[in-house]
Amino acid sequence: GNSVTQMEGPVTLSEEAFLTINCTYTATGYPSLFWYVQYPGEGLQLLLKATKADDKGSNKGFEATYRKETTSFHLEKGSVQVSDSAVYFCALHPNTGNQFYFGTGTSLTVIP
Amino acid sequence: GAGVSQSPSNKVTEKGKDVELRCDPISGHTALYWYRQRLGQGLEFLIYFQGNSAPDKSGLPSDRFSAERTGESVSTLTIQRTQQEDSAVYLCASSYGGAKNQPQHFGDGTRLSIL
């Protein structure tokens, strides 16, 4: 079946530290992969996406590369800011069917 | 343009009562999704609409849950005889066409508390 496994949080980093949030998936074929972010008190919003193997999604300094060989889509940022504090969700949409599958979310807190 | 709108934003009700949650998707988005997010957990898929039809109801947790969509627009999620375990944030999302490369746009959710 289809599923997403995310690194468990919470994650606490100092400002300007390097961030990695791991995400691996199980799916048949070539799903589309997404990272969503939920800032405190706000709804989920799309952060970045990749629709085929080796694609790199990027936005707001965040990047994630679609790795078919390792079935991974790890989120990275070189230098986090306090304003990046949020919950991050990895998600996939498989080749067939209508459902999106979400990970359980990883809470990130960045301290000054 | 307007995003996905959900109402009410908060709902507190007594166990055993029925509740109705509303979602207004982005205009022109044919795909609409409902999710449940319990405290500290991920998103749990409930139901998907393509137009007014619901080809995938596999996530509805029990027959107390139902949903409908009219005019390829507004959707309502109804929970009958609410139980305390129904307490959660209910999220609605819409997307253009529902294709796999189309991201979802989420509303701010309805926070449901069952006393």
Side-chain angles (χ1 to χ4, degrees):
Chain A
N2 300 295
S3 67
V4 174
T5 302
Q6 261 185 259
M7 169 177 150
E8 286 194 22
V11 174
T12 302
L13 294 174
S14 297
E15 208 165 20
E16 299 183 4
F18 185 87
L19 168 72
T20 300
I21 300 178
N22 289 339
C23 171
T24 57
Y25 68 89
T26 302
T28 53
Y30 291 85
S32 289
L33 301 173
F34 305 84
W35 276 100
Y36 283 84
V37 59
Q38 188 174 29
Y39 296 105
E42 298 184 17
L44 274 82
Q45 54 187 273
L46 178 69
L47 180 60
L48 53 84
K49 70 174 185 179
T51 57
K52 60 183 189 294
D54 301 324
D55 266 4
K56 178 185 284 187
S58 60
N59 186 25
K60 299 182 180 180
F62 291 88
E63 293 182 339
T65 301
Y66 187 139
R67 301 283 188 203
K68 180 69 175 174
E69 63 277 12
T70 54
T71 61
S72 65
F73 193 55
H74 304 322
L75 183 68
E76 297 182 334
K77 186 173 186 182
S79 176
V80 293
Q81 305 301 311
V82 172
S83 56
D84 294 326
S85 298
V87 181
Y88 293 82
F89 293 89
C90 185
L92 74 83
H93 191 305
N95 260 342
T96 59
N98 312 305
Q99 237 187 92
F100 279 76
Y101 295 82
F102 283 81
T104 53
T106 302
S107 174
L108 170 67
T109 301
V110 180
I111 54 178
Chain B
V4 177
S5 177
Q6 290 187 246
S7 61
S9 54
N10 283 284
K11 177 72 176 178
V12 181
T13 192
E14 293 180 346
K15 176 181 170 182
K17 301 286 189 185
D18 297 352
V19 295
E20 196 171 273
L21 312 180
R22 178 187 167 106
C23 173
D24 280 274
I26 292 172
S27 178
H29 280 192
T30 57
L32 186 148
Y33 304 78
W34 283 100
Y35 295 90
R36 179 168 68 180
Q37 185 180 22
R38 288 189 165 125
L39 186 65
Q41 299 186 22
L43 276 69
E44 178 186 358
F45 169 81
L46 297 178
I47 189 169
Y48 158 76
F49 287 92
Q50 182 61 261
N52 293 333
S53 300
D56 191 345
K57 303 180 182 179
S58 61
L60 293 178
S62 76
D63 60 7
R64 296 187 296 105
F65 287 72
S66 63
E68 65 173 17
R69 189 180 185 194
T70 56
E72 298 197 353
S73 180
V74 172
S75 176
T76 54
L77 176 69
T78 302
I79 309 173
Q80 296 178 307
R81 305 181 303 282
T82 52
Q83 304 294 313
Q84 287 187 330
E85 63 262 27
D86 299 334
S87 296
V89 176
Y90 289 82
L91 292 168
C92 176
S94 69
S95 72
Y96 180 73
K100 71 166 191 168
N101 62 345
Q102 293 294 329
Q104 299 185 312
H105 299 262
F106 283 84
D108 289 340
T110 294
R111 184 174 299 278
L112 177 63
S113 300
I114 309 299
L115 302 178

